[in-house]
Amino acid sequence: MDPDHTGETLDAREIDGEPFSDIMSALDGLGGEESVLLVNSFEPVPLYDVLDARGFDYETLQVAADEWHVTITPQ
């Protein structure tokens, strides 16, 4: 995990089923300078269009062959 991240961490690998609603719920609760660190087993490319449309910035980092970290912040 990102040692500089101070917001909520959501590990999609631990969610049974489709994690989209959990991700959106976490983002709905963001305010100010807060962020969500999304941990996933693959790069969540389909999520990027949704984040752009909803006004979020994101930074993606591949930390292992099967682990991606996406830090999501409001614009």
Side-chain angles (χ1 to χ4, degrees), residues 45 47-49 51-52 56-60 70-73:
V45 174
L47 181 63
Y48 298 158
D49 286 339
L51 295 175
D52 287 335
F56 289 97
D57 289 325
Y58 52 90
E59 184 175 315
T60 305
V70 182
T71 303
I72 306 167
T73 54

Side-chain angles (χ1 to χ4, degrees), residues 4 6 16 20 24-25 32 35 39 42 54 56 58-59 66 70 72-74:
D4 297 326
T6 57
D16 288 332
F20 184 78
M24 291 302 108
S25 292
S35 65
V39 179
F42 61 91
R54 293 194 57 184
F56 289 97
Y58 52 90
E59 184 175 315
D66 62 350
V70 182
I72 306 167
T73 54

Side-chain angles (χ1 to χ4, degrees), residues 22-56:
D22 295 271
I23 296 167
M24 291 302 108
S25 292
L27 297 178
D28 287 342
L30 285 180
E33 299 294 316
E34 295 177 325
S35 65
V36 170
L37 174 61
L38 173 64
V39 179
N40 209 351
S41 58
F42 61 91
E43 184 176 13
V45 174
L47 181 63
Y48 298 158
D49 286 339
V50 175
L51 295 175
D52 287 335
R54 293 194 57 184
F56 289 97

Side-chain angles (χ1 to χ4, degrees), residues 60-69:
T60 305
L61 177 65
Q62 184 176 12
V63 297
D66 62 350
E67 185 173 337
W68 294 76
H69 291 185

